[in-house]
Amino acid sequence: MVEASDAMVKAAKVDLVGFEKIFGGHETATMRGDVAACRAAVEAGSRAAEKVGEIVSTHVIPRPRVSVDAALPMGRRKGRHRRWRSI
């Protein structure tokens, strides 16, 4: 996950919001950015992760509906600056 996340933030202007371990040793990363940047970041992260393990799936949700974004405000905090920044 570290290698894939590193490749994602270096490949495109995206913010890594976080990652979590899910069932069966699988992990997922969440990022924010414009659609093209997220697609490029996912592609770069997939290539990096394939070198060290197996990719089960990837998915980009372009422009989520306002109701989804309100229910799952990943990486968005009112009145604060972004916590994660790509360098």
Side-chain angles (χ1 to χ4, degrees), residues 10-77:
K10 287 179 179 176
K13 187 174 174 148
V14 295
D15 293 319
L16 179 63
V17 175
F19 70 94
E20 62 183 293
K21 293 183 179 195
I22 52 178
F23 68 92
H26 297 163
E27 298 176 358
T28 185
T30 306
M31 71 187 83
R32 283 198 174 270
D34 64 51
V35 178
C38 286
R39 289 187 195 280
V42 167
E43 181 63 33
S46 295
R47 283 193 309 266
E50 284 175 338
K51 293 177 183 176
V52 295
E54 177 186 1
I55 299 294
V56 175
S57 69
T58 63
H59 189 70
V60 174
I61 302 173
R63 296 176 294 282
R65 289 183 62 107
V66 174
S67 59
V68 172
D69 204 27
L72 305 169
M74 299 174 146
R76 300 221 175 149
R77 292 187 163 90

